[in-house]
Amino acid sequence: MTTTRTVKDKTAIVGVAVSEFSRDSGRTEYSLAAQVVRDAVVDSGLSFDEIDGIVKDISDGIDPMYLQKAVGIEHAQFASDSHWGTSAIVSGITAVAAGICKNVVYYRSVNGASKRRAGNDFRAAKEMQDESLDLLRYDFYSPFGLLTPSGMAALCARRYLHRYGVDMSDLAWIPAVASEYAAANPRSAFFEKPMSFEECADSPAEVDPLRAVDCAPDVDGAVALVITSAERAKDLPHPPAIVMAAAQATSTEGELFSSFNRPDITGLPEMKLMGDELFRVAGVQRSDVKAAQFDDRFSFLVAMQLEELGYCERGDGGAFCAKGERIRRDGDLPLNTNGGFLGEGFLYGANVIEAVRQIRGTSSSQVENADLVLVASGAGGPADGLLLRR
Amino acid sequence: MTSSYDPTRDVPRPARWEVLYRSSGPFWDGVASGKLLLQRCASCARWLTPPRPMCPGCQSREHEWVQSTGRGTVHSFATYRHAPHPAFPAPHSVVLVELEEGPRLVSSLVGIAPENIAVGQAVEVVFTHAADDFTLFQFKPAA
Ligand SMILES: [Zn+2]
């Protein structure tokens, strides 16, 4: 609690970079990581000598020391392999706010499509066997063929539909609007034109009740961003995205997508905890938020996040998105304006970068007066989030 | 013993990671002998599913293994429309069963087509020989 209070307005995201997003990068994750870190530092206007902190997600394969070795970061005084989602960014923000280091670079680099690493690809079960993100899977889930995050998520989705008396077509505006944003986003490798609500609603199930359009595609790509102090950010070339609040949360009986022994598997209790803390620290209202980036690795998670983050009642997340009106660019809560993971592919960090674009005014679907942007990551696992302002 | 076992083709064996989930050994030993055993805190009687080395309610490390009736209901289910693995031809349904004792277990169903599975349906455990050296627990619609 004390930590997040001291974080308020102390830091800013000042540099961002993304690689090409593709189905097959033809390059190593190491090469992609080095490229985006270099580009993000250049974008920030800081010199390479000034970078003294390096953070990444635990599921990212490239060790910070190797990254440092490639990019030419001489000495670092903070390095962190954080939990899931984009909590590494929260760690970096915390380190700068606490004065442990001055300028942190965050990166994530994943050949998710060509290597099928950590993916939703239900056809890649063999590769999933080699992956050790969640050891419980091998003891209790693999013997029954529950081999993918999509299958685990589908179990939670089915119970959600049952409990609230909705069906997947009630949630089909979520992938439909994501495809609209993605079609407007030149980086998306997946949508040249939007899919209609009907096309989404009528598309066949992959892991019933989830359809292919409900599962973020695996992608090859990398992202990086640079965090510095709000003070230092004043002299840098781009308008800073000031971090009003940053928060993380976990909750009891948690597993990645398989928290099956919680009393209620239709919600995300850590997301509520995280969101309440964000708004408490920032001292702003839900309605003050001009755009949001939610974790849409699976479409129904958007509905759950709307509920847990206080935008609607439990079970009403699909209704909130009905006809897409509220979540399009001119709606009350423009949501995942780059197309989200559904539109760009599953790559944590890309969601935070889109929030920075909105603050800078450079999104492919720019929202007017986007002076406060909410980010939530880690739906279905440890949650984290940010409130960024101009 | 398992020299013919091919994890890319056969039903994946439980990993039984003794380091992390020390207690999963007794669970699978129980299954091998036709019993569904649930771990319960010996101090405060909280169910510990999945198994773990300490009770999150009272921090006791003492536990006991209690045989479940094997009766429960379908809490949720999901159906793979593409085989997730060669051992599970599509359509393949995975089920989350809520046992009458309370804990929930992932499993699969026998004796029912995927389109007939329903949330809330009563089920009971059956033990299936998946291979000469390997027994699985599954569920069937309750009589
Ligand atoms: Zn206890």
Side-chain angles (χ1 to χ4, degrees):
Chain A
M1 291 268 175
T2 314
T3 310
T4 42
R5 209 172 286 130
T6 60
V7 159
K8 187 180 180 186
D9 295 335
K10 294 259 177 75
T11 63
I13 299 173
V14 293
V16 294
V18 299
S19 71
E20 184 192 9
F21 296 155
S22 70
R23 290 185 170 88
D24 186 354
S25 67
R27 293 168 58 186
T28 63
E29 292 172 346
Y30 191 13
S31 166
L32 288 168
Q35 175 200 325
V36 290
V37 166
R38 180 261 176 210
D39 290 351
V41 173
V42 170
D43 183 65
S44 74
L46 293 163
S47 73
F48 286 91
D49 295 347
E50 290 178 278
I51 302 298
D52 59 355
I54 308 173
V55 297
K56 73 170 193 71
D57 294 310
I58 199 162
S59 53
D60 192 287
I62 310 305
D63 188 292
M65 286 191 297
Y66 282 79
L67 198 274
Q68 189 172 353
K69 199 190 290 255
V71 180
I73 295 166
E74 199 68 18
H75 302 293
Q77 296 197 277
F78 183 76
S80 173
D81 251 4
S82 282
H83 226 156
W84 196 232
T86 54
S87 61
I89 296 173
V90 179
S91 302
I93 287 165
T94 309
V96 172
I100 295 172
C101 61
K102 292 189 172 68
N103 306 295
V104 170
V105 66
Y106 158 89
Y107 63 96
R108 182 166 176 80
S109 176
V110 179
N111 277 334
S114 59
K115 269 177 60 181
R116 296 187 176 134
R117 210 188 68 139
N120 314 319
D121 188 337
F122 17 77
R123 293 171 203 90
K126 182 177 172 298
E127 286 82 355
M128 295 297 297
Q129 292 275 358
D130 300 330
E131 203 210 319
S132 53
L133 276 178
D134 182 352
L135 300 181
L136 267 175
R137 175 183 297 161
Y138 302 100
D139 252 335
F140 295 104
Y141 308 148
S142 305
F144 304 98
L146 183 58
L147 288 155
T148 61
S150 56
M152 297 170 188
L155 285 170
C156 297
R158 168 95 59 198
R159 187 71 195 181
Y160 175 93
L161 301 177
H162 173 82
R163 174 167 178 180
Y164 295 109
V166 293
D167 66 42
M168 285 308 290
S169 62
D170 294 316
L171 303 181
W173 283 104
I174 295 168
V177 173
S179 77
E180 293 173 17
Y181 282 125
N185 170 357
R187 288 175 306 278
S188 170
F190 301 100
F191 292 95
E192 281 174 10
K193 60 184 184 63
M195 288 180 75
S196 68
F197 167 82
E198 290 74 17
E199 286 174 296
C200 290
D202 297 342
S203 69
E206 289 280 5
V207 188
D208 202 353
L210 300 182
R211 304 156 295 210
V213 294
D214 298 309
C215 305
D218 287 319
V219 69
D220 284 12
V223 296
L225 57 81
V226 175
I227 301 154
T228 189
S229 65
E231 197 54 37
R232 183 74 179 85
K234 288 176 184 165
D235 308 328
L236 296 173
H238 292 292
I242 303 285
V243 179
M244 279 197 96
Q248 287 178 227
T250 58
S251 195
T252 187
E253 294 293 346
E255 296 173 23
L256 294 179
F257 290 111
S258 54
S259 305
F260 299 139
N261 272 286
R262 284 183 169 167
D264 177 9
I265 66 168
T266 68
L268 303 166
E270 49 285 276
M271 196 57 78
K272 175 171 169 43
L273 200 59
M274 187 284 293
D276 287 351
E277 180 70 355
L278 272 187
F279 284 100
R280 189 189 68 77
V281 169
V284 296
Q285 304 302 312
R286 267 74 175 172
S287 56
D288 296 331
V289 169
K290 301 291 174 44
Q293 288 291 128
F294 288 174
D295 184 340
D296 61 346
R297 186 180 188 183
F298 301 107
S299 64
F300 72 97
L301 294 170
V302 169
M304 286 188 182
Q305 283 164 93
L306 285 164
E307 297 161 22
E308 298 290 17
L309 294 170
Y311 284 92
C312 62
E313 296 297 312
R314 296 289 297 274
D316 288 345
F320 186 95
C321 302
K323 302 199 187 306
E325 286 165 359
R326 282 180 166 145
I327 58 172
R328 288 203 184 96
R329 189 165 61 147
D330 52 358
D332 304 340
L333 189 71
L335 190 62
N336 294 0
T337 52
N338 58 340
F341 301 140
L342 290 169
E344 276 192 349
F346 177 52
L347 185 63
Y348 278 128
N351 51 343
V352 177
I353 288 177
E354 175 63 10
V356 172
R357 286 190 202 104
Q358 285 292 352
I359 295 286
R360 288 183 176 187
T362 60
S363 170
S364 50
S365 294
Q366 183 60 41
V367 172
E368 245 180 276
N369 280 325
D371 55 4
L372 183 67
V373 182
L374 168 64
V375 185
S377 296
D384 66 275
L386 304 171
L387 272 167
L388 301 176
R389 69 167 174 84
R390 279 189 176 158
Chain B
M1 185 177 78
T2 56
S3 58
S4 66
Y5 169 54
D6 176 358
T8 66
R9 185 198 64 216
D10 301 328
V11 173
R13 302 290 201 272
R16 301 178 64 149
W17 262 295
E18 295 292 311
V19 177
L20 188 66
Y21 296 104
R22 214 186 165 114
S23 301
S24 73
F27 176 87
W28 286 106
D29 289 344
V31 170
S33 63
K35 291 178 184 162
L36 201 54
L37 299 179
L38 301 174
Q39 193 191 32
R40 188 170 68 182
C41 174
S43 172
C44 75
R46 181 171 168 143
W47 294 109
L48 305 173
T49 301
R52 64 201 69 178
M54 183 177 282
C55 171
C58 73
Q59 288 74 45
S60 169
R61 285 186 289 134
E62 302 299 319
H63 62 260
E64 56 199 353
W65 288 89
V66 180
Q67 186 171 356
S68 166
T69 63
R71 289 191 295 269
T73 55
V74 173
H75 193 70
S76 191
F77 65 100
T79 305
Y80 283 90
R81 298 292 169 186
H82 299 273
H85 183 279
F88 307 101
H92 174 70
S93 292
V94 174
V95 68
L96 182 64
V97 171
E98 183 169 288
L99 295 167
E100 62 183 12
E101 293 87 355
R104 299 187 193 124
L105 295 174
V106 166
S107 187
S108 46
L109 287 179
V110 295
I112 185 166
E115 61 271 23
N116 295 328
I117 304 172
V119 172
Q121 183 171 21
V123 292
E124 60 191 29
V125 75
V126 292
F127 295 91
T128 315
H129 291 284
D132 285 349
D133 60 342
F134 179 43
T135 302
L136 265 185
F137 67 97
Q138 293 179 289
F139 288 83
K140 64 174 185 182

